[in-house]
Amino acid sequence: MNHISACLALGTLIAASSPASAEVDFLVPGVSLHSVDFTAGTFVSYLIISEAHGIRDSSFVTLEVTGRGSGGAGLEITSTTWPPVDAEAITVRLTLCAGADEMKTPEEFYACISDILIRDGTEPFREPSFEELEDFDIGRLFLRRSEGLQRQELEPEIVEVPAGTFRCDVFEYFRSDRRDVAMGGITAERFEKERSILRISSEVPFWGLVRSRVERTSKTSYPGGRNSRETRPRVTVTESVLTGYFTPGREAGN
């Protein structure tokens, strides 16, 4: 997994969105930016496990609020291999304007980012190249809530992760979509479904995420009478596991 893309891997973990609204989510669909705590010193870390075609890939992602004041907040997103290796880490530092958590459209958030810096391993921060900015894909930070997702609140659970044991509210989300796509002069039918489980605790800083799992299935059907065919379903599974956290003034997790 490309490290800059992995910095935003959390954004693909959960299809946990409410029905369409004017509200904008931050990084993880379903987590409103209004619910994110930008208190300076707040820190969370996750093991990200992805599996596709029987191949597993793991990375380690951290999010840290480096400062907040009248000038806004600083946010650092770091990704490295698992187990973590400092020399292989990529860190992206964003400087957000004051009132960033009150923005109502992705476009407002883009304008709110006053500075973007990147660091390779333990090297000094530097300005990213145009190619690195494209790879980072800033648009994945701020997400409009989509339509068609069904939400169900399940029974609370006691969830044990490396960062500790938490009583979690549990939410299940489901979305399916069938649409026509043009492929090589043929109109094919694309089917996708997505089911996710999101476990949230008020004890966890930043956004409350303790553990999540999302399973995506997609397949394509090609018309043609007797020669019609359908591809084998492609299944991908991505999980996030809280490995550590810190809230200023409180005892840190592992």
Side-chain angles (χ1 to χ4, degrees):
M1 179 183 293
N2 181 282
H3 282 319
I4 299 180
S5 298
C7 283
L8 294 178
L10 284 170
T12 64
L13 288 178
I14 308 155
S17 179
S18 300
S21 72
E23 198 164 27
V24 175
D25 292 333
F26 176 73
L27 197 55
V28 174
V31 179
S32 168
L33 187 73
H34 297 171
S35 68
V36 174
D37 180 9
F38 282 105
T39 299
T42 296
F43 169 91
V44 287
S45 63
Y46 295 89
L47 171 63
I48 311 298
I49 307 166
S50 301
E51 182 172 350
H53 304 295
I55 300 174
R56 291 168 63 91
D57 182 43
S58 299
S59 60
F60 182 68
V61 176
T62 67
L63 299 100
E64 181 178 4
V65 182
T66 57
R68 176 158 190 167
S70 58
L75 176 64
E76 291 186 5
I77 307 172
T78 300
S79 174
T80 185
T81 55
W82 180 263
V85 178
D86 288 344
E88 298 182 9
I90 294 291
T91 302
V92 177
R93 174 184 286 175
L94 305 174
T95 301
L96 306 177
C97 68
D101 53 356
E102 298 176 1
M103 300 297 175
K104 299 187 182 303
T105 68
E107 291 74 21
E108 288 181 354
F109 283 113
Y110 305 154
C112 179
I113 300 173
S114 60
D115 198 21
I116 303 176
L117 297 174
I118 191 170
R119 179 172 66 191
D120 304 285
T122 57
E123 296 295 318
F125 278 96
R126 59 178 174 79
E127 292 187 358
S129 66
F130 178 77
E131 290 76 15
E132 287 171 327
L133 281 176
E134 282 198 327
D135 196 13
F136 181 65
D137 190 4
I138 200 71
R140 291 174 60 192
L141 285 175
F142 312 116
L143 312 169
R144 283 189 175 90
R145 293 200 173 181
S146 60
E147 299 181 8
L149 285 170
Q150 303 173 34
R151 176 184 183 275
Q152 181 179 5
E153 185 170 356
L154 306 180
E155 290 296 320
E157 295 180 3
I158 302 299
V159 179
E160 184 175 353
V161 292
T165 302
F166 304 88
R167 182 187 183 281
C168 295
D169 294 323
V170 184
F171 304 93
E172 181 181 44
Y173 298 85
F174 176 80
R175 177 184 67 85
S176 63
D177 177 62
R178 190 182 298 270
R179 65 187 185 278
D180 291 338
V181 292
M183 302 182 68
I186 299 174
T187 300
E189 186 178 55
R190 177 80 169 178
F191 174 75
E192 297 178 346
K193 68 177 180 180
E194 196 169 69
R195 186 180 300 276
S196 61
I197 299 288
L198 177 65
R199 294 171 172 85
I200 295 289
S201 171
S202 59
E203 297 180 55
V204 177
F206 196 71
W207 52 12
L209 181 64
V210 174
R211 189 169 191 137
S212 66
R213 173 187 169 91
V214 59
E215 182 174 321
R216 296 183 176 91
T217 303
S218 63
K219 62 181 178 181
T220 304
S221 299
Y222 298 87
R226 294 181 180 179
N227 297 320
S228 63
R229 60 189 178 90
E230 184 175 272
T231 62
R232 296 178 59 183
R234 181 176 184 271
V235 180
T236 61
V237 177
T238 308
E239 294 185 272
S240 64
V241 181
L242 180 70
T243 61
Y245 67 95
F246 176 75
T247 302
R250 294 176 58 182
E251 184 176 351
N254 293 336

